[in-house]
Structure formats: structure tokens, C-alpha cells
Amino acid sequence: MTELIETERLYVEELQSIMEGYFAELDNSELSHLIPPTLENKRDVLFGNLPAIYEFHNRTFLRELENCAEKPELVGTCFLKRKEELQVYEKYCQNKPRSEVIWRQCGDSLFFQECQKKLDHKLSLDAYLLKPVQRITKYQLMLKEMLKCNKGEGTAELEEALTTMLDIIKSVNDSMHQIAITGFEGNLSELGKLLMQGSFNVWTDHKRGHSKVKDLARFKPMQRHLFLYDKMMLFCKKREETTDGHDKTPSYSFKHSLKMSAVGITENVKGDIKKFEVWYNNREEVYIIQVC
């Protein structure tokens, strides 16, 4: 409990330093001549919804965790009560790739150097912009540790809080992949909840078409990244893209989709628990799918 509160205080201090030492300084007329042109009207892209995250932790979450110092059995309830507010991290993480592009374009500018110097930070701003991503992951690790030590009052709430945090992390991870889908002309937000995403080997068997092509397709799997929504399944091809010589970032090129209302599923194919079968339009199209 002590570690949770102490690291939360440090986290709030770090967020405050970003807000006051960088975010607010963009309005400082004395530094305006140092602000790079590429940053113009891009503050919200660089920082995302960091102001909302800071306000939540500074005004609400830190105080509520501090109130649990003498009653650690209440910490699970504290997380559960703020389940909706903690969803703010999903939006932040979705924006992170766009933020990193802006940083690569202007991170070495005199403006950021001057701000870092004033703050006496050893690390540059990009390291601090990673803090929220690290923090949302850290919570579930600390909750796991608390569960190991706590077998009495509040255990059920702790377990539920851990499940909640793992669900949020999964949602964040799924949404990070989802925003990299290209070429889909529909509206992803209209497909319902994203239930699952991942890379698979896919064999196709279409009743229509040349039989030779069908046989080849049956034996040689395609590598596809699948996105399963309430209303539709998307088949995409994963592409690794290098940006300005930096780390490769994945994108998912849309190939085709299946409406879930017309889909049937066979859980195991020929006794292989790693394979399942998706069939469409009364088996007009059959897809054998295997976890990579």
C-alpha cells in the first residue's frame, strides 16, 4: 500500500512538471520565438488528453488512495469506483503514435531544450509522455502483489479491481492496433465492441472459382490479422512500416470482411485444437483459422 501511494505522489508530481514546464510554456510569449513551426496548432496532438489525466489523478485519485493508507482493504473499492475515469487512458494511448510523430519532427528544437533546462530534468519530454502508458500497466502489477499479501477483508474487491485493470489494459492494447487499420471504408465505431484481435494463419476454401486455385489456397496459409467485432470480422494484412529510420510500426491493410450475422463457427477442425473453422453463406466460403 505504501508503494502504491508513494509512486502515485511521484506520478502526479511528474505530470505536474509536464503541464507547467512544457504545456503551459507554449503560451509563454518570451519563448514563442523558439517554438518550432511544426508544433503550431499541434499541442493537443503532442500531449493528447494529458490535462484530463493530470486533473483526475491530482484532484481525485491520489487523495482517495491516500485515504486508504490506514485501511488498505478499501483500495480495491477505490479502483472499482473510478473504473470509468480510468478509461481516459485508452484515448491517451490511441493518440500516442500521432504524438510520437510530432515529437520526432520537433523534439530537438531549442524550445524543448530550454524547457528541459528550466525543469532540470535529466530526461527529455518524450520520456515523460511515456509515463501514463507505464502507469496504467503498473497498477495491475501492484494489485497482484497486494493480493498475495491480503487474504482477509477486501480480497474480493481487490480481485475485481485487478480484473478491471486487466480489462482496461486489454482495451488499450486492442485500440492501439485498431487505429492502425487502413483501407476500410466503413465506420469502425459502428461495428460494435472489439472483442478480439490477433495474428492468424488462414486457409480459404471457396466453392466458386478455379479448383486449382482452391487447392493451392488450401495448402498455403495466408498471414492475416483478424479483428473480431460484435457485428463484423475484418481480415487484414499486417505491414511493418519504418518512419524516418525509427522503429517499425505496424499497420493493417484491410482485405475483406464477414458479417457476423451470416457466420457459422466450428470450434475444432479435424481434432486440432489450434484450428477453428469459420464458414459464410451456408459454407459458400470456408476459412480455416489457426493461431500463429
Side-chain angles (χ1 to χ4, degrees):
M1 190 66 218
T2 303
E3 181 190 2
L4 177 58
I5 293 173
E6 287 180 353
T7 55
E8 185 72 12
R9 285 173 182 154
L10 177 61
Y11 178 53
V12 169
E13 287 175 10
E14 289 172 335
L15 293 181
Q16 184 178 4
S17 71
I18 300 170
M19 294 305 301
E20 294 178 356
Y22 289 102
F23 190 89
E25 288 294 84
L26 285 166
D27 295 323
N28 185 347
S29 57
E30 293 181 9
L31 295 179
S32 60
H33 65 289
L34 298 179
I35 298 173
T38 48
L39 193 56
E40 192 174 344
N41 300 320
K42 295 289 177 62
R43 172 160 61 180
D44 291 343
V45 177
L46 179 62
F47 292 92
N49 61 335
L50 192 70
I53 291 175
Y54 170 62
E55 286 298 311
F56 165 63
H57 286 271
N58 184 45
R59 293 189 174 186
T60 305
F61 205 53
L62 173 57
R63 294 179 186 181
E64 291 184 354
L65 290 177
E66 287 174 335
N67 290 336
C68 296
E70 302 302 321
K71 296 181 179 180
E73 67 272 12
L74 297 179
V75 74
T77 304
C78 184
F79 275 88
L80 292 173
K81 189 168 81 171
R82 298 301 171 186
K83 179 180 177 179
E84 296 301 320
E85 286 95 330
L86 286 164
Q87 297 284 348
V88 73
Y89 281 90
E90 186 172 333
K91 184 177 179 181
Y92 185 83
C93 292
Q94 281 181 340
N95 179 70
K96 198 71 178 66
R98 296 171 66 219
S99 171
E100 288 170 356
V101 169
I102 297 294
W103 177 255
R104 286 197 290 268
Q105 291 172 351
C106 60
D108 58 355
S109 71
L110 290 173
F111 172 76
F112 290 115
Q113 291 176 25
E114 186 64 26
C115 290
Q116 184 178 345
K117 186 178 175 183
K118 279 187 179 181
L119 288 166
D120 196 26
H121 280 179
K122 291 181 181 178
L123 300 173
S124 54
L125 174 62
D126 59 324
Y128 286 88
L129 290 176
L130 196 59
K131 298 286 184 181
V133 181
Q134 295 168 335
R135 188 63 182 168
I136 196 67
T137 307
K138 184 78 172 173
Y139 284 135
Q140 55 96 10
L141 295 174
M142 287 190 281
L143 287 170
K144 282 179 182 175
E145 287 301 313
M146 293 181 74
L147 267 172
K148 287 179 184 177
C149 305
N150 183 5
K151 299 300 177 187
E153 189 180 349
T155 301
E157 288 80 5
L158 267 180
E159 288 176 346
E160 193 178 344
L162 175 59
T163 300
T164 296
M165 294 312 300
L166 290 173
D167 285 345
I168 289 174
I169 291 168
K170 180 184 180 298
S171 179
V172 165
N173 183 52
D174 287 347
S175 66
M176 293 283 280
H177 289 276
Q178 179 181 248
I179 60 170
I181 296 174
T182 61
F184 179 69
E185 294 183 357
N187 187 343
L188 293 175
S189 63
E190 294 177 356
L191 303 185
K193 185 179 179 182
L194 177 59
L195 304 172
M196 180 278 297
Q197 57 80 28
S199 294
F200 297 86
N201 289 321
V202 179
W203 290 262
T204 61
D205 187 353
H206 297 269
K207 287 184 178 178
R208 287 176 292 185
H210 199 283
S211 59
K212 188 177 180 182
V213 174
K214 184 175 74 172
D215 290 339
L216 280 172
R218 183 179 293 159
F219 292 108
K220 187 177 181 182
M222 297 177 291
Q223 298 290 316
R224 289 291 181 261
H225 202 92
L226 304 187
F227 293 85
L228 176 62
Y229 294 87
D230 286 327
K231 298 179 181 178
M232 193 172 284
M233 179 185 288
L234 304 188
F235 289 73
C236 301
K237 185 172 183 179
K238 185 177 180 180
R239 302 182 187 281
E240 301 284 354
E241 296 178 354
T242 305
T243 310
D244 301 330
H246 287 76
D247 293 340
K248 290 181 177 179
T249 55
S251 70
Y252 304 100
S253 178
F254 172 73
K255 293 300 179 184
H256 68 282
S257 62
L258 303 176
K259 289 183 179 179
M260 294 308 294
S261 58
V263 161
I265 295 177
T266 306
E267 288 189 19
N268 292 335
V269 178
K270 295 176 183 176
D272 189 338
I273 60 171
K274 290 185 178 180
K275 291 180 181 177
F276 62 97
E277 189 179 73
V278 171
W279 38 274
Y280 199 61
N281 284 342
N282 296 319
R283 303 189 73 86
E284 190 73 38
E285 300 172 27
V286 177
Y287 301 85
I288 295 174
I289 300 172
Q290 179 187 49
V291 178
C292 290

